[in-house]
Amino acid sequence: MANGSILQIALLLCFSTTALSKSYDVLQFQQRGSISACWTLIRRLNGTSGSCRQDRMDFEFPKDIKLQKFQKEEAILVIQEMLQQIFDLFRSNFSSTGWNKTIIEKLYGELGWQMEHLEAALEEIMEEENLTWGENTTLLQLREYYSRIVQYLKSNLYSRCAWTVVRAEVLKNFSVLYKLTDFIFKN
């Protein structure tokens, strides 16, 4: 009888691991597609940084994120934080830009979709592995980075050039997001 229970538990674990693996494959495909869609939407917002060279700034993206090898769970947290910060950033006063509001609304939709699905994946991982998260230094660095961007916008009164510089910076963020997404699903 005990052997039957052990066999059932073993089969259940194998099945759930296989199901989780397949759901990760689908999630990776969807996330990569959504990141590409966000990148395209942001590129469609008019403005080139060439005319705003005097306004350029190095916001000092956290080097740990580019160099560090994360555990899957931490990488998901980093992606989710970046998406949330970008979402909040584009909620700021961009009226001086002349950007198409429909594009911005589509961007909100894509970012929201990604955050929702990543949150579900993270909850699943945390439940399976009984993980809890304290304050993460990488997340704190990210928040400081995005805070510098917000302060830059405020100090430049949300000018068209300031937004053009920020738009270029956010495009770089999506390159990092794409690499992190690949990392999560390859490990």
Side-chain angles (χ1 to χ4, degrees), residues 8-27:
Q8 288 175 339
I9 291 171
L11 287 172
L12 180 62
L13 286 173
C14 287
F15 176 73
S16 65
T17 303
T18 302
L20 185 59
S21 173
K22 291 204 183 295
S23 83
Y24 277 135
D25 290 345
V26 171
L27 183 60

Side-chain angles (χ1 to χ4, degrees), residues 15-178:
F15 176 73
S16 65
T17 303
T18 302
L20 185 59
S21 173
K22 291 204 183 295
S23 83
Y24 277 135
D25 290 345
V26 171
L27 183 60
Q28 176 191 19
F29 178 75
Q30 292 170 334
Q31 285 291 356
R32 290 177 77 190
S34 190
I35 288 170
S36 293
C38 287
W39 188 84
T40 300
L41 288 167
I42 293 171
R43 297 261 320 153
R44 287 179 53 200
L45 298 172
N46 56 352
T48 60
S49 57
S51 61
C52 301
R53 289 177 199 248
Q54 73 280 3
D55 293 309
R56 284 190 188 163
M57 181 173 174
D58 180 6
F59 296 105
E60 299 174 27
F61 187 83
K63 290 173 181 36
D64 288 352
I65 293 173
K66 290 181 181 177
L67 304 173
Q68 186 172 336
K69 292 294 182 192
F70 296 110
Q71 290 185 7
K72 185 182 292 191
E73 302 81 10
E74 188 176 22
I76 291 173
L77 275 175
V78 167
I79 290 171
Q80 193 168 19
E81 182 68 27
M82 288 179 71
L83 293 172
Q84 182 64 56
Q85 293 289 339
I86 292 168
F87 184 86
D88 293 345
L89 189 62
F90 278 94
R91 288 263 184 221
S92 300
N93 181 2
F94 62 87
S95 60
S96 66
T97 63
W99 288 343
N100 183 325
K101 289 184 178 158
T102 304
I103 293 173
I104 297 292
E105 289 298 323
K106 287 180 183 178
L107 179 62
Y108 293 154
E110 286 292 335
L111 291 168
W113 180 92
Q114 287 181 68
M115 289 184 293
E116 183 180 315
H117 285 80
L118 282 172
E119 187 175 324
L122 189 59
E123 285 174 7
E124 197 172 315
I125 290 169
M126 290 176 72
E127 204 173 277
E128 278 186 10
E129 300 181 18
N130 293 325
L131 295 174
T132 58
W133 294 102
E135 219 23 70
N136 181 305
T137 57
T138 304
L139 295 182
L140 291 174
Q141 290 173 354
L142 266 177
R143 290 177 189 138
E144 289 170 6
Y145 163 74
Y146 285 104
S147 178
R148 287 189 293 274
I149 293 173
V150 170
Q151 288 306 320
Y152 171 79
L153 283 169
K154 284 181 183 177
S155 68
N156 285 284
L157 304 174
Y158 298 94
S159 71
R160 183 174 179 84
C161 271
W163 269 111
T164 300
V165 169
V166 168
R167 175 187 160 270
E169 185 73 14
V170 169
L171 283 170
K172 293 177 196 172
N173 284 201
F174 278 97
S175 174
V176 173
L177 285 166
Y178 200 82

